[in-house]
Amino acid sequence: MKPLSYPLSKPLVLALALALQACATTEPARAPVVEMPAAWSPATPATEAPQLTTAWWQSFGSQPLERLIEEAQAGSPDLRIAIERIRQADIALQQAGISRLPSVNGSLGASTGRTEVSGGTGTTREASNASLSVSYEVDLWGRIAAGVRAGEASLQASQYDWKTARIALLTGVANNYFLWLNTAERLRIARENLAIAERVLAIVEARQRNGVATALEVSQQRTTVLSQRTALLPIELQQRQTATALALLLGRVPQGYVPEAGQFGQLRVPALSPGLPSSLLTRRPDLASAEAQLAAADANVEAARAALLPSLSLSASGSLGTSALMSLADPTRSISLGISLAQSIFDGGRQRLQVRTTESQRVVLIENYGKAIRTALKEVDDGLGNAERSQRQEALQREVVAQAQRSLQLAELRYREGSGDLLSVLDAQRTLFAAQDALATQSLSRLSAALDLYKALGGDWAGPPPPLS
């Protein structure tokens, strides 16, 4: 940077500034063009007011889940990390705002020295001085203001990122808790089927003692009992692993953690109204974050282009000096005022390359924003389809379980009366166990589909940003 030395007349400075203003190019902001559909693929009521609340997890009707959600919000390391990122963005914004203020420097000094001459004589010099200087950069081209706008947009993006992390955490806690309850339900079903198999084994052994059943039938039923006992092991392992995964989300040590018990069958599956597709742009925090990042990129491009233009600085300084040590009595005063206009003459193209870099980064953010919108539309469509399909599958599976229970009852009755064979009983047992296990899995799928839809719709988008204190 080569400064133009003072004095310069004010008209000359303005003339130079206007002449160099032609170097600035302003490109209009270009938002990604994404044509929003008029409605969702699955037929849904068109409404702009989705039936969601901030505490959406309460709609599942589980108080243990509500306590887990509260614990996760207080103890999750992921949320604490996101809050620190907000704090860092806030500090960066304050630093950018400081550039708008003048810089003030002051100094106070004293010195003493002695000059020796031949013959042992000499003179002693003493001096004290104080000075104050003020400098201020005039933001002619809006470079500093653009930096502040970039900082504000980055702060907003970090707040939306915290909301995105919070939604992911809370849906993860709910999903793992539902899975833990589901494994407990599947264990109950498996143990009930084991008890049925052991009861049938007792009947077969009694019939063998009476000479009615064969040893083959006893062996077949014992194999069924052993199979039912073996089926318990992977479910128990899955339950333990689910509990440890939930502990990590809560910020707990996984060893020995057991979630609060609850009834899987008592969980409610809420019905959601997704609203219109265009409402996603104001609901989903990840889309809001991408939009804020794009605004920050626009400001960074503007700041980089403004850096190509000359900078105008104003300065003033004053000083006091005296020949007395540690005293400013009867001082010598000096005051100076200055104005300087600085322009980079040759930097090897570094600043222009910086402009091209920020422009390229902005193009990437534009594409990412459009991609995020299309991904959000797909996620809601998938969530609506999964919720509707899982509801119908669960209803059909309940009918399957009811028929399987009736088949087993009839098969056992016929076998006791001697009009049926053991093979029919064994087949009815396997059918019932598979049907009940599939129903539990299908119920979990329906709950997971509701969670996925909550997440796709933006969760509790009305929630306030986190406190930084």
Side-chain angles (χ1 to χ4, degrees), residues 98-116:
I98 290 174
S99 301
R100 289 175 163 176
L101 304 177
S103 175
V104 181
N105 296 303
S107 67
L108 181 66
S111 63
T112 181
R114 180 176 177 79
T115 303
E116 296 288 344

Side-chain angles (χ1 to χ4, degrees), residues 304 307-308 343-358:
L308 296 173
Q343 171 66 41
S344 175
I345 297 177
F346 177 76
D347 64 355
R350 183 179 297 107
Q351 290 182 332
R352 293 192 178 277
L353 289 175
Q354 180 62 34
V355 172
R356 291 171 59 184
T357 299
T358 55

Side-chain angles (χ1 to χ4, degrees), residues 122-205:
T123 58
T124 300
R125 297 187 306 276
E126 296 178 345
S128 299
N129 63 82
S131 64
L132 180 68
S133 62
V134 180
S135 61
Y136 176 71
E137 180 180 351
V138 181
D139 193 16
L140 282 177
W141 321 113
R143 179 183 62 82
I144 297 175
V148 173
R149 289 198 301 273
E152 291 172 345
S154 297
L155 176 60
Q156 287 182 345
S158 64
Q159 291 174 338
Y160 290 127
D161 289 340
W162 174 83
K163 290 188 176 184
T164 302
R166 181 171 179 266
I167 292 172
L169 170 69
L170 300 189
T171 53
V173 169
N175 219 352
N176 276 274
Y177 183 62
F178 292 162
L179 179 57
W180 188 81
L181 292 180
N182 175 258
T183 54
E185 177 70 8
R186 292 178 62 201
L187 280 174
R188 183 190 65 78
I189 294 171
R191 287 168 180 148
E192 286 182 356
N193 279 272
L194 175 60
I196 293 174
E198 290 174 340
R199 185 181 72 242
V200 173
L201 176 60
I203 295 173
V204 175
E205 289 175 340

Side-chain angles (χ1 to χ4, degrees), residues 213-229:
T214 65
L216 175 60
E217 291 176 329
V218 174
S219 178
Q220 288 176 327
Q221 186 59 29
R222 284 177 179 170
T223 302
T224 300
V225 171
L226 292 174
S227 297
Q228 295 288 359
R229 289 175 181 170

Side-chain angles (χ1 to χ4, degrees), residues 17-40:
L18 292 173
L20 289 169
Q21 189 176 10
C23 301
T25 57
T26 302
E27 179 181 334
R30 179 171 63 90
V33 179
V34 178
E35 185 178 352
M36 300 296 289
W40 303 108

